[in-house]
């Protein structure tokens, strides 16, 4: 049976409405002052136990300069921290300059900005944490559910991210990262790795996001990203409208995207199930395409484009891309008509929407390496965007090659 998007949207809306009605009967309590004091005075090596119950906060919880501290609730459905009445700051929990910090077994929700932000930390673990916005997908939601940036040895596992207006699970400018066995839905980007190195993304289920999994490399940041393995994920039905605030880079991601690679290198994508993403299964794009799309975008995207022009170390082209042994399925006869890519595919590939799409903008005189092998009946398209889409090609045999596999990080 063909999917019925209108019915699906009605069901989604009813589920959020019912959840909101149930929450009206919750008896919220406050432990704000005592818990912030505990965050400040906790000794290295200690465990902060969050009690069972529903707790409301008006300002961020801050922890800084601690070592080997665990912040542990009584379970995702038993300890709930809400920032719905937040009147100060932006984050729900903000951690910085720590070492071996662990968050586990609680829910955090509805911060003005990011639900949990961690910076400049070596050894950060999120385990069985639910991070969400409870009012459904909307532009006013915070950007990131999980937001480790400038960190090393990052682990996000068995967690849930819902409702982010940018990315549910984001990792930026970080090294040695594992994102595994998570459930991510109703975000703009489900999982996003940006300018990070030695990254493994596996065992996750991403669905009903705008884009399921993104691996981006952006200009003007402290480091370039490389060496990423994306495998054994289920990436399905990522057809949610793009509700990112105007000007955000993820605002260029078309609804119906399974995975997108932007200007990244040394990446291996294998053994994934990629199904029913209406626009494309996997997209491989250069930053030149972002510049073209940015003509009608907002000021933040304009600033990023200008940064790319002045960042002499930035390489805007993807390279060393190895996509193999994935399973593709798309039961939609037509791509979505809600973005330019959908219209392009409808005109150029009627009843034959491509699964793997390369923008066709080569990296100048440098050798472009991309191998596409053993992906079943996956349909391929080279858009030839470098020549105004004039030389579109579906010849996947041009990329029938092999590359060395990337060794596991751990």
């Amino acid at each position: 049976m063909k999917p019925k998007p209108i019915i699906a949207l009605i069901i989604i809306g009813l589920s959020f409405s019912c959840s909101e009605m149930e929450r009206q009967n919750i008896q919220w309590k406050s432990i704000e002052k005592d818990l912030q004091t505990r965050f400040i005075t906790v000794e290295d090596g200690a465990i902060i136990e969050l009690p069972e119950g529903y707790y409301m906060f008006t300002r961020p919880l801050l922890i800084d300069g601690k070592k080997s501290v665990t912040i542990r609730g009584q379970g995702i459905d038993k300890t709930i921290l809400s920032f719905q009445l937040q009147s100060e700051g932006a984050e729900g929990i903000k951690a910085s300059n720590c070492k071996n910090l662990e968050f586990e077994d609680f829910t955090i929700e509805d911060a003005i900005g990011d639900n949990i932000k961690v910076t400049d930390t070596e050894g950060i673990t999120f385990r069985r944490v639910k991070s969400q916005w409870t009012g459904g997908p909307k532009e006013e939601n915070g950007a990131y559910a999980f937001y480790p940036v400038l960190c090393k040895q990052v682990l996000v596992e068995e967690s849930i991210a819902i409702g982010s207006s940018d990315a549910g699970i984001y990792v930026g400018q970080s090294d040695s990262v594992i994102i595994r066995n998570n459930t991510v839905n109703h975000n703009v980007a489900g999982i996003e790795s940006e300018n990070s190195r030695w990254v493994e993304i596996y065992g996750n289920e991403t669905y009903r996001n705008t884009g399921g999994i993104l691996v981006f490399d952006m200009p003007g940041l402290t480091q370039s990203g490389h060496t990423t393995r994306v495998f054994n994920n289920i990436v399905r039905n990522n057809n949610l409208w793009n509700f990112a605030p105007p000007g955000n880079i993820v605002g260029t991601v078309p609804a119906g995207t399974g995975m997108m690679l932007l200007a990244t290198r040394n990446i291996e994508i294998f053994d994934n199930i990629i199904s029913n993403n209406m626009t494309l299964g996997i997209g491989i794009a250069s930053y030149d395409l972002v510049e073209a799309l940015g003509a009608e975008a907002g000021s933040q995207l304009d600033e990023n484009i200008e940064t790319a022009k002045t960042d002499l170390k930035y390489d805007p082209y993807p390279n060393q891309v190895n996509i193999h042994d994935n399973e593709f399925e798309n039961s939609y006869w037509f791509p979505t008509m809600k973005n330019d890519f959908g219209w392009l595919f409808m005109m150029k590939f009627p009843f034959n929407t491509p699964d793997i799409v390369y923008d066709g903008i080569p990296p100048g005189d440098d050798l472009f390496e991309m191998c596409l092998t053993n992906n079943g009946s996956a349909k391929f398209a080279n858009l030839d965007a470098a020549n105004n889409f004039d030389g579109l090609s579906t010849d996947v045999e041009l990329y029938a090659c092999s590359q060395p596999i990337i060794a596991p990080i751990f």
Side-chain angles (χ1 to χ4, degrees):
M1 179 179 294
K2 298 294 292 179
K4 297 179 174 59
I6 294 176
I7 294 176
L9 288 175
I10 293 173
I11 293 172
I12 292 169
L14 288 174
S15 66
F16 280 118
S17 299
C18 292
S19 176
E20 188 63 30
M21 291 175 62
E22 293 172 0
R23 295 170 64 83
Q24 292 177 2
N25 298 320
I26 292 173
Q27 298 298 313
W28 295 95
K29 303 176 184 178
S30 177
I31 54 172
E32 185 169 19
K33 183 176 180 180
D34 290 343
L35 188 54
Q36 180 58 81
T37 299
R38 184 76 172 120
F39 274 31
I40 294 171
T41 61
V42 63
E43 296 182 356
D44 291 345
I47 297 174
I48 298 177
E49 292 281 356
L50 305 176
E52 182 174 345
Y54 295 84
Y55 302 99
M56 186 68 70
F57 297 82
T58 61
R59 55 179 64 87
L61 293 167
L62 308 176
I63 184 167
D64 180 75
K66 303 299 182 179
K67 295 181 180 179
S68 302
V69 170
T70 298
I71 299 169
R72 178 186 298 153
Q74 306 308 305
I76 279 181
D77 298 322
K78 294 183 177 180
T79 300
I80 291 85
L81 313 181
S82 175
F83 290 80
Q84 195 167 47
L85 299 182
Q86 186 171 10
S87 58
E88 296 181 20
E91 297 84 11
I93 296 175
K94 184 177 181 179
S96 55
N97 304 303
C98 294
K99 188 170 184 178
N100 298 329
L101 185 64
E102 296 188 5
F103 297 97
E104 57 186 37
D105 295 311
F106 64 91
T107 288
I108 183 169
E109 55 191 37
D110 292 325
I112 292 175
D114 312 314
N115 272 341
I116 307 180
K117 181 176 181 179
V118 181
T119 64
D120 300 289
T121 291
E122 182 175 352
I124 171 65
T125 296
F126 302 99
R127 180 180 296 115
R128 296 183 301 275
V129 175
K130 184 177 184 180
S131 182
Q132 66 175 345
W133 282 267
T134 60
K138 55 187 176 181
E139 182 181 319
E140 293 76 18
N141 290 354
Y144 304 107
F146 298 90
Y147 187 26
V149 62
L150 298 170
C151 293
K152 295 181 178 180
Q153 298 178 13
V154 178
L155 173 61
V156 187
E157 65 177 355
E158 300 173 28
S159 294
I160 301 170
I162 301 172
S164 303
S165 65
D166 197 301
I169 298 176
Y170 172 97
V171 57
Q173 303 171 75
S174 296
D175 291 352
S176 301
V177 176
I178 291 180
I179 301 172
R180 67 185 179 197
N181 303 331
N182 302 287
T183 302
V184 187
N185 62 86
H186 294 96
N187 308 277
V188 174
I191 297 171
E192 180 179 359
S193 173
E194 184 176 277
N195 291 69
S196 293
R197 308 179 296 194
W198 304 291
V199 179
E200 295 202 343
I201 302 171
Y202 65 91
N204 304 284
E205 183 172 13
T206 67
Y207 63 95
R208 291 180 183 163
N209 307 284
T210 302
I213 298 176
L214 312 182
V215 183
F216 281 12
D217 214 51
M218 301 296 295
L221 300 179
T222 59
Q223 67 182 39
S224 296
H226 63 70
T227 314
T228 302
R229 303 169 80 228
V230 183
F231 61 99
N232 289 343
N233 300 283
I234 297 174
V235 183
R236 63 177 178 87
N237 299 94
N238 291 286
N239 302 311
L240 188 66
W241 69 93
N242 194 316
F243 57 98
N248 284 15
I249 287 293
V250 294
T252 64
V253 176
T257 297
M259 298 186 191
M260 180 169 285
L261 316 180
L262 176 65
T264 191
R265 63 210 68 257
N266 197 28
I267 180 165
E268 184 179 10
I269 300 176
F270 61 100
D271 290 342
N272 300 282
I273 297 173
I274 303 169
S275 64
N276 292 327
N277 305 286
M278 289 184 70
T279 301
L280 53 89
I282 301 177
I284 304 103
S286 72
Y287 201 82
D288 287 357
L289 186 63
V290 172
E291 292 183 350
L293 294 174
E296 299 180 359
S299 59
Q300 181 179 337
L301 186 51
D302 290 340
E303 292 171 4
N304 284 325
I305 291 171
E306 289 303 313
T307 300
K309 295 177 180 178
T310 58
D311 186 351
L312 300 180
K313 295 182 179 179
Y314 179 64
D315 186 346
Y317 304 102
N319 216 332
Q320 297 171 288
V321 177
N322 189 8
I323 300 174
H324 63 89
D325 297 289
N326 299 284
E327 179 182 333
F328 290 86
E329 179 184 359
N330 190 356
S331 59
Y332 290 97
W333 288 1
F334 305 105
T336 178
M337 297 290 99
K338 295 182 179 180
N339 60 68
D340 291 341
F341 289 100
W343 281 103
L344 176 66
F345 298 158
M346 183 62 187
M347 290 187 294
K348 299 294 185 178
F349 312 105
F351 302 101
N352 200 30
T353 304
D355 298 298
I356 303 174
V357 179
Y358 167 47
D359 70 2
I361 303 178
D365 296 331
D366 296 330
L367 178 65
F368 174 58
E369 300 178 41
M370 180 170 72
C371 295
L372 309 175
T373 56
N374 300 325
N375 293 298
S377 59
K379 299 177 287 292
F380 168 74
N382 180 334
L383 298 184
D384 194 30
N387 297 299
N388 199 29
F389 308 102
D390 287 338
L392 277 76
S393 169
T394 58
D395 189 358
V396 71
E397 292 302 318
L398 294 174
Y399 304 98
C401 54
S402 62
Q403 293 183 22
I405 64 171
I406 300 174
I409 296 170
F410 295 104

